[in-house]
Amino acid sequence: MPVNANRARAQVAPLVVGLTGGIGSGKTAVSRAFEALGIPVVDTDVIAHELSAPGAAGQRAVAEAFGPDAVAPDGSLDRAWLRRRAFADPAIRRRLEATLHPLIADEAGARVSAWTTPYGVLVVPLLLETGRLRPRVDRVLVVDCPEETQVARVRARSGLAEDEVRAIMAAQLPRAARLAQADDVIDNAGAPGAIVPQVARLDRLYRTLAEKRPTNPTLGAKLGQNGA
């Protein structure tokens, strides 16, 4: 490829696919299928866990906002305690989100700005609920399955009671509202193997869309700004 073509390609900001879905819908399985194709994935849940570690910025901010009860004996955030409080009281949930989400968004933006591939996947469970990162993605990919399937999956993996799972679901968009905002949908109601061909199809689509993007001298600037 000519040198000037390489330079032009380097100036094209990667297509950012925002992957979302309700709890238990299968976002992790879908993101792993993209990773198997060599596509970079930035998962805000993973970032949230990293920020919750002892001494991390998120741990310090939440401990200051909620006091010592929010900290587990090992010094990390007591996520179970915070989850119970947050989903029992919308005001506490909003306060927790206001404390953590800016930190998560800033770190996600920094990681996405380092992408050199035609496109990448940004996993944001509350992409459509909070709206903080919604303007920063080019496509919304929703992982979908029936609500009863969500409940069964979450209970099997976490041991939460059904009412706890449904409380979490109630804080998320209803299934129909989420689907109405999707550019693309992966049906994860069936066997896990059904994800792979759907991801392969979308991979072809996203590569095609990425090739049509205009050059941009500030690679990743859209996701690298502060105050996400």
Side-chain angles (χ1 to χ4, degrees), residues 22-26 143-158 162 165-166 169 175 187-192 195:
I23 186 171
S25 58
V143 187
D144 180 59
C145 68
E147 292 182 356
E148 293 302 323
T149 303
Q150 290 179 249
V151 173
R153 287 174 177 168
V154 176
R155 293 195 67 190
R157 80 185 184 200
S158 67
E162 181 172 347
V165 179
R166 292 197 179 275
M169 292 170 62
R175 183 185 182 192
D187 180 358
N188 191 27
I195 289 174

Side-chain angles (χ1 to χ4, degrees), residues 94-182:
R94 289 191 294 269
R95 185 180 173 196
L96 179 62
E97 291 173 351
T99 302
L100 280 177
H101 285 190
L103 298 173
I104 295 170
D106 284 349
E107 180 60 26
R111 296 184 188 190
V112 169
S113 68
W115 287 348
T116 58
T117 48
Y119 80 94
V121 175
L122 176 61
V123 185
V124 188
L126 298 179
L127 177 66
L128 304 177
E129 285 83 353
T130 67
R132 180 175 294 275
L133 285 169
R134 176 63 184 89
R136 299 187 169 196
V137 304
D138 300 298
R139 303 280 294 188
V140 174
L141 171 57
V142 169
V143 187
D144 180 59
C145 68
E147 292 182 356
E148 293 302 323
T149 303
Q150 290 179 249
V151 173
R153 287 174 177 168
V154 176
R155 293 195 67 190
R157 80 185 184 200
S158 67
L160 292 176
E162 181 172 347
D163 60 341
E164 292 180 288
V165 179
R166 292 197 179 275
I168 295 172
M169 292 170 62
Q172 300 177 334
L173 277 182
R175 183 185 182 192
R178 187 183 300 115
L179 289 171
Q181 297 186 54

Side-chain angles (χ1 to χ4, degrees), residues 187-209:
D187 180 358
N188 191 27
I195 289 174
V196 174
Q198 295 181 78
V199 167
R201 175 183 59 80
L202 289 172
D203 175 67
R204 293 191 293 271
L205 170 64
Y206 296 150
R207 289 179 185 275
T208 298
L209 293 174

